[in-house]
Amino acid sequence: MSIQIPRGTQDILPGDVEKWQYVEETAKKLCHAYQYKEIRTPIFESSELFTRGVGDTTDIVQKEMYMFEDRGGRSLALRPEGTASVVRSFVGNKMYGNPGQPVKLYYSGPMFRYERPQAGRYRQFVQFGVEALGSEDPAIDAEVLSLAMSIYKELGLKQLKLVINSLGDAGSRNAHREALINHFKPRIDEFCGDCQNRLEKNPLRILDCKKDRDHELMATAPSILEYLNDESRDYFEKVQRYLKDMDVEFEVDPTLVRGLDYYNHTAFEIMSNAEGFGAITTLCGGGRYNGLVEEIGGPETPGIGFAFSIERLLAALEAEGVGLPINEGIDLFIVALGEEAKDYAVKLLHTVRKEGISSEKDYLDRKLKAQFKAADRSQAKYVAVIGDDELKENKINLKDMTTGEQEEIALEQFVETVKGKLS
Ligand code: AMP
């Protein structure tokens, strides 16, 4: 019986995993520059965190969550996103009392959604995300957006589009909500069942509907930007001004609505414009969620964040033909000939590895030629050749694979010599 990998998941094998590591390292480095600190939370949480915290009108929570009961009868969910977990931890660990405010965090890890798998859409995918909690300064919004863009740019992506919108504060949202209900209500029976449910619960989400996207009422729906009160408009203008000051290019799209219910003020998405990227062009999404901490049981605390998946980031790199500077070669390959030499190679390999030199030897009892082939395959910078004769003379032959030069090195000086050459 051969057991298949679950639908919508993938193995990331050596050869590809280096790309993942490179991308994650780059993102982490930039988070450090922007002073966001890593947080690690569990992969499963109480289902309630998402059914409550995220709001219940989203597909993510209503239809796509992996929920199960554990042996103790608790209802648990594999996390579908990272923000709710970070906020749960922020509240549980009373981070709102930390002296350093705002609390700026990042995370990276697998998320799970029971979606229809297709290119760029998996059932398990890795999200990298950041959250800044405790500040309602539009400069933090601009910082978060620019951090997301910096990660993509640092990796070499060029064909990007940053789209922003404001959903306004509660007052603006409510005014807009009323206008939306009035707009859609007379003809709501022409919309899908989901939209009919959304009408009273969260009419903003109707604008996000994929099924009714082409209905004529969509194009004429009242824009949130007309309903922003002075404060919200001022906030949005400041965010835009800061972005301009930072030379971050963007477009304003008043129809941008984010999937999750808890957003207000700034909402944004980063898209790939690369040809051949495929139907799903969104690389990253995020926004401000000023009510979420309170909803999850903490004190009123503003927050903003974003998340992107590494899967789509790598797809964008591929679509733009960007290669990552990944060096898969090793420092040293030890070729050994003869019984004594082979034994000695085991010891020598251990010694050089302790010095941090990446190194390898043959384990298949290969002939000289095949060992050299293996050394080539490993893209070794240096190849050391030890034979029983050399051992008797306390010498090792070292070949520089870039120049082809060879030299004899005394055994006791071997490690230091190789270290010197590599540094
Ligand atoms: P969301 O949490 O839905 O706002 O998604 C944020 C980002 O996560 C998206 O822009 C994608 O980069 C990524 N993402 C969401 N769902 C998936 C999925 N099923 N497979 C791969 N990436 C995803």
Side-chain angles (χ1 to χ4, degrees):
M1 182 180 63
S2 88
I3 296 172
Q4 306 290 314
I5 191 170
R7 214 164 119 69
T9 68
Q10 56 177 345
D11 297 319
I12 299 146
L13 306 179
D16 274 329
V17 87
E18 292 77 9
K19 293 182 199 155
W20 285 71
Q21 290 166 340
Y22 184 84
V23 161
E24 284 165 339
E25 280 315 307
T26 304
K28 285 178 184 178
K29 253 188 238 157
L30 279 160
C31 282
H32 179 69
Y34 280 70
Q35 273 303 288
Y36 286 72
K37 304 257 160 70
E38 184 174 4
I39 180 168
R40 300 186 186 193
T41 61
I43 281 172
F44 59 84
E45 297 270 3
S46 292
S47 306
E48 211 188 346
L49 173 66
F50 303 107
T51 50
R52 241 210 215 151
V54 174
D56 62 356
T57 64
T58 61
D59 285 354
I60 295 172
V61 172
Q62 277 192 333
K63 300 182 190 159
E64 298 170 2
M65 227 158 49
Y66 280 91
M67 280 206 268
F68 61 98
E69 208 172 83
D70 76 2
R71 286 167 195 272
R74 301 169 193 89
S75 174
L76 299 172
L78 297 183
R79 60 184 183 192
E81 54 105 27
T83 305
S85 302
V86 170
V87 170
R88 191 236 350 104
S89 176
F90 177 85
V91 172
N93 292 292
K94 298 192 171 59
M95 287 187 233
Y96 44 81
N98 286 3
Q101 297 289 332
V103 174
K104 306 204 300 185
L105 302 165
Y106 77 84
Y107 59 85
S108 175
M111 305 293 160
F112 306 84
R113 294 182 193 174
Y114 192 79
E115 295 195 272
R116 197 169 58 78
Q118 52 181 294
R121 182 172 286 154
Y122 299 89
R123 290 187 171 167
Q124 173 174 332
F125 54 99
V126 174
Q127 268 189 348
F128 192 99
V130 316
E131 314 292 347
L133 291 140
S135 165
E136 211 178 349
D137 184 338
I140 277 281
D141 300 46
E143 171 178 295
V144 164
L145 269 72
S146 88
L147 171 54
M149 287 300 280
S150 311
I151 294 172
Y152 287 127
K153 285 185 182 158
E154 178 70 21
L155 288 165
L157 286 174
K158 294 204 169 65
Q159 297 172 52
L160 299 167
K161 188 165 86 172
L162 168 63
V163 179
I164 65 171
N165 188 23
S166 172
L167 306 177
D169 60 9
S172 313
R173 263 190 93 147
N174 283 337
H176 183 229
R177 191 189 131 85
E178 285 305 310
L180 285 173
I181 295 178
N182 292 336
H183 179 75
F184 286 114
K185 203 169 190 172
R187 292 173 65 184
I188 194 66
D189 49 348
E190 296 167 26
F191 285 76
C192 71
D194 283 341
C195 281
Q196 296 183 12
N197 282 332
R198 288 168 184 147
L199 183 71
E200 297 295 337
K201 279 195 191 152
N202 188 355
L204 197 62
R205 296 257 304 125
I206 296 178
L207 302 177
D208 216 9
C209 181
K210 288 174 189 81
K211 284 190 212 134
D212 294 319
R213 184 169 29 205
D214 298 324
H215 194 287
E216 59 175 313
L217 284 190
M218 288 296 209
T220 54
S223 157
I224 177 69
L225 295 183
E226 294 159 33
Y227 290 85
L228 293 184
N229 55 24
D230 290 348
E231 259 185 3
S232 300
R233 185 169 303 117
D234 187 44
Y235 194 97
F236 193 36
E237 272 163 16
K238 276 199 183 131
V239 173
Q240 296 180 56
R241 206 179 66 216
Y242 288 134
L243 287 174
K244 283 179 190 148
D245 289 346
M246 293 191 271
D247 289 325
V248 177
E249 283 176 31
F250 62 89
E251 283 172 28
V252 174
D253 178 356
T255 66
L256 174 75
V257 191
R258 303 268 313 127
L260 304 178
D261 279 349
Y262 48 65
Y263 286 104
N264 46 26
H265 286 295
T266 314
F268 71 98
E269 279 184 0
I270 300 172
M271 253 85 83
S272 168
N273 281 334
E275 228 173 275
F277 182 62
I280 305 174
T281 57
T282 309
L283 297 180
C284 174
R288 182 164 275 288
Y289 47 83
N290 286 353
L292 186 63
V293 178
E294 230 179 334
E295 231 177 277
I296 296 181
E300 200 182 326
T301 310
I304 178 163
F306 67 71
F308 63 79
S309 70
I310 311 263
E311 286 84 352
R312 284 195 204 164
L313 168 51
L314 291 172
L317 288 167
E318 194 165 315
E320 282 199 34
V322 178
L324 299 176
I326 290 161
N327 177 10
E328 285 167 33
I330 65 170
D331 295 327
L332 176 72
F333 193 99
I334 300 175
V335 170
L337 288 169
E339 282 315 306
E340 256 179 74
K342 273 185 210 158
D343 292 346
Y344 187 78
V346 174
K347 208 168 81 182
L348 184 63
L349 194 60
H350 180 66
T351 312
V352 292
R353 283 174 173 170
K354 275 199 297 191
E355 296 295 328
I357 296 170
S358 58
S359 40
E360 192 51 291
K361 70 180 274 300
D362 163 66
Y363 292 101
L364 297 178
D365 211 10
R366 289 186 176 102
K367 301 250 157 44
L368 180 68
K369 217 172 148 190
Q371 287 194 44
F372 268 106
K373 252 198 193 151
D376 270 345
R377 215 177 303 118
S378 71
Q379 298 173 43
K381 290 192 194 105
Y382 293 91
V383 175
V385 185
I386 327 171
D388 289 348
D389 291 346
E390 278 101 340
L391 266 192
K392 277 188 201 110
E393 291 168 35
N394 276 324
K395 280 189 309 200
I396 296 182
N397 177 287
L398 187 72
K399 183 172 179 186
D400 181 330
M401 300 303 280
T402 326
T403 63
E405 275 167 37
Q406 296 192 41
E407 58 187 299
E408 300 267 296
I409 298 168
L411 273 187
E412 59 274 16
Q413 278 154 26
F414 181 76
V415 178
E416 283 313 310
T417 310
V418 174
K419 258 172 83 180
K421 285 178 184 292
L422 288 168
S423 65

